[in-house]
Each structure stands twice: as structure tokens, then as C-alpha cells.
Amino acid sequence: MDIPSCDMCEHPAAWRRPWDNTLVCIMHFNKSFLKKVQKTINKYQMLKRDDIIAIGLSGGKDSVVLLDVMAKLQKNHSTKLIAISIDEGIENYRENGLHFAKLAAERADVEHHIFSYKEFFGYDLDEALMILGENRLSPCSYCGPFRRKLLNEAARKVGATKLITGHNADDEAQTLLMNVMRGDLLKTLHSNPIPKFKNKAFVNRVKPFRRTTEQEIVVYANLNQIPYQEMSCPHAVEAYRGKIRNILTNLSVDDPGVIFSIINSADSLHDLGGLVSNNLKHDGNKEIFDCKKCGEPTNNELCNSCRLIIEIENRENM
Ligand code: SF4
Ligand code: ZN
């Protein structure tokens, strides 16, 4: 079978972009991929030239591809790029992810640090779930806040001024739809992609893949032969997000640009959020405090992870 050639050169095409049907060879795919990430960083003013960037490196496709791309773009931005991985202590899963994270850090030739829940919180996730027993929230309800917290601490420890994560356009579109369906649109209004927190305990986070789809990331990993962890976490049962993902996958068949339309809507909401932020400050629920235990910004007296750790400690001492 004849392989069609790239729409921009004579080389064989490696991929057809679903939203505009353009055929691209490996070189043109890579070029446009990097250009798009750079454009996203510029559009949202995600990074400054002298930022020290910590990258959350789980070993999954998003984070290993982000590391590869950022190492290539680094000369435009950063004095330093440092990889940090979080070991939640999930048996038969995390060791495998750390293996791919180490490979990615070696390939990109960046410093790599591993931080564990056990060392920081005093408990592995598996251990904490055992202590909590049956009468508890889902594993992700503990693990999510712990990871956010430890990533922040890790970024501070390595001296980073920004924390980047591999959340992609699909993740962002799913999150917006979930907020809509849960009647919590204010969450989107408040989660501005342009970092602006000025709390010294908090390293601002940005998502350079905000406009890059999961499909593009998989294609990049495959074309560039970047190995990544394919195994899913045994606790991953976020059923609601899975349903939203299926809806978006079905919609994308007829309208391949639907993910970008949703991201554009989210951007309009953030702009609106900026315009009405003065009014929102008067909304009692949205006042920002410093967590009494750790000092991180939070909507309550204690941040989520401090509250959950106290729950585990209390349960252990019962
Ligand atoms: Fe943690 Fe849930 Fe992610 Fe597993 S799926 S790593 S438990 S947040
Ligand atoms: Zn706290």
C-alpha cells in the first residue's frame, strides 16, 4: 500500500490531524507539536525567562512527553528544569511508574528527585487506607490532595519558582464539563490558567499541555519512541470522569474540534472571572485563608490534606 506524503514536504505522512485533515510527517508533526506548546506557554504567560521549573513526573505518557518537550524548549525559558516524582506507596503500580520516570529523566538529562507519602505524611497510601478501613472516602479523595500538597512541597524544596504538570486538553475539557454538571461553575471561574497566587508557601502551577490533546501526546510518544507507564492505578475508579470522557470521545467523532471549543469556553469564563473578581471576593465561601497547620492557601481553616491526615491520625489512635 502506498503511504501518502506529508502535506508540507515529500516525506511519508505519519499522522492525519483529525480537526483539519492535514497529513504530517514525523518532522513536521514534531515541529508543530513543539510550536503549539510554546504558543500555549506564551498565550497564558505560563513561564518567565528566569523561572526554575519543577516538572511533576509520574512516568505516564503526559508527564514523560512533557519532560521531553520542555527539555527541548528549555533554552527559551528556564535556568533549570528539575523532575520530581511522587511515590504514593501503591503496591504493584508505583514502582513501575518510577521506572519509566527514571528513564525519562535520564533521557532528558535532568536532575530527578523522588518524594514519598511515607516520608512526608508518615503513611503510604496503602497503609492509610488500611487504617481508615471500610468507612472512608474513595482512595483518590485522599491521594489527590496528598499529591497536590507533596508536589508543592517538593517544588519548594528543589527551589522551583514554577511547577508544571502534564494535564492535557482532554483533562481540562472533562474538568470543565464535570464542574458544569455538578453545578460548580464557580470552580472554573476561579481556576485561572495564568498563575497569580502570591503566597510564599505556594509554587504556582501551570499546564503547558492545556491545548494539546491526549491523542497528540500518544502520537508524539510513539513517533519519538518514548516509553511510558501504561498500567493504570488499581484504585482508579473515577467513574464520573470516565463517563464524561466517553461522551467527549463520541462527540469528537463528528466534531474533532469539540475539545478545543470547550477549552475556549473555559478561557472565556476565566476572563469573566477576572472581570467580576471583586464581586466574588465578597462571596463568603470564596475567602482565602492560610492553612493553620501548613500555611498553604485554602478556603477553610485547614487545607484538605492537613484535614485528611488528622482524620487518619485520629482513626489510628482510636
Ligand atoms: Fe492516587 Fe487515585 Fe491517582 Fe491512584 S488513581 S494514583 S489513588 S489519585
Ligand atoms: Zn495545610
Side-chain angles (χ1 to χ4, degrees), residues 149 291 293-295 303 306:
K149 164 73 140 231
C291 169
K293 205 163 171 240
C294 73
C303 70
C306 286

Side-chain angles (χ1 to χ4, degrees), residues 14 35 84 127 135 148 166 205 262 267 281 283 289 302:
K35 201 169 155 194
I84 50 184
E127 205 180 338
N135 189 15
R148 276 193 292 280
R205 285 158 205 219
I262 297 172
D267 284 355
K281 263 187 206 134
D283 176 342
F289 306 97
L302 288 172

